[in-house]
Amino acid sequence: AEYMGLKYLTVYVAGHRDRAAKAIEGVMQGADTFMDASMLEGYLTVARALIAVDDGDQMYRQGLVLDACIAYANKNLRVPRMRTPFLNFAIEIARDSPPARQLLVESTAFVSLVSEPTTRYSIQSGGHRSAFVALFPELAAVVPPLPNYSLGATGAAV
């Protein structure tokens, strides 16, 4: 909350679910508008600050942000540079909050998102699968390991 505008926004939403919902909707729409990584990160920083407002409604705001992350990741399914930050932000929230993790595991939209072929491949490749499965062991079957094509029919290296 270094920026004055952010400080005022966090005070504005404290204790007001309707205001929080509108603010989070605007912030996430803004994040969806920019493909520039620094602009996107700026919006997600505001979302983090809105979640962190200490008024007893953190879980409510966290749920709103998770829903928006899933919706925008699905909307941008074929644009990895837009899909991935939303997916990563949802996973970041889940890593820090067991209730948020459980919400994602039970979300059919999230399970559908990670089982979609391009999203599943991005999780499977680059060593991301092990961290994903460590956080979401219930979804291990949805994101199986990539097959090893380097072995021939006999099992000998080709």
Side-chain angles (χ1 to χ4, degrees):
E2 300 161 357
Y3 305 107
M4 279 310 251
L6 186 54
K7 180 180 178 186
Y8 291 129
L9 183 60
T10 58
V11 169
Y12 178 74
V13 302
H16 300 280
R17 285 186 168 198
D18 57 333
R19 292 178 183 176
K22 293 283 187 201
I24 288 170
E25 179 183 344
V27 166
M28 298 307 283
Q29 282 179 354
D32 182 50
T33 304
F34 292 98
M35 291 183 94
D36 178 78
S38 61
M39 289 296 293
L40 184 61
E41 187 56 38
Y43 279 102
L44 297 181
T45 298
V46 174
R48 284 183 193 93
L50 290 172
I51 290 171
V53 173
D54 190 16
D55 64 350
D57 263 351
Q58 292 93 337
M59 292 307 303
Y60 171 75
R61 289 188 299 275
Q62 202 171 65
L64 292 174
V65 171
L66 287 174
D67 287 346
C69 283
I70 294 167
Y72 286 117
N74 273 317
K75 175 183 173 261
N76 295 300
L77 209 51
R78 301 289 180 223
V79 187
R81 65 185 291 186
M82 290 299 291
R83 175 198 64 216
T84 303
F86 287 113
L87 181 62
N88 288 346
F89 190 45
I91 291 170
E92 172 191 320
I93 293 169
R95 192 178 306 118
D96 297 337
S97 169
R101 190 199 76 76
Q102 192 59 38
L103 189 103
L104 288 179
V105 167
E106 295 171 359
S107 167
T108 55
F110 181 73
V111 174
S112 173
L113 172 65
V114 298
S115 61
E116 190 278 328
T118 58
T119 308
R120 184 179 62 233
Y121 181 76
S122 72
I123 294 169
Q124 291 169 320
S125 62
H128 304 297
R129 183 184 181 276
S130 59
F132 182 84
V133 171
L135 183 60
F136 302 108
E138 305 92 329
L139 302 179
V142 174
V143 185
L146 286 173
N148 183 354
Y149 292 115
S150 65
L151 298 178
T154 62
V158 178

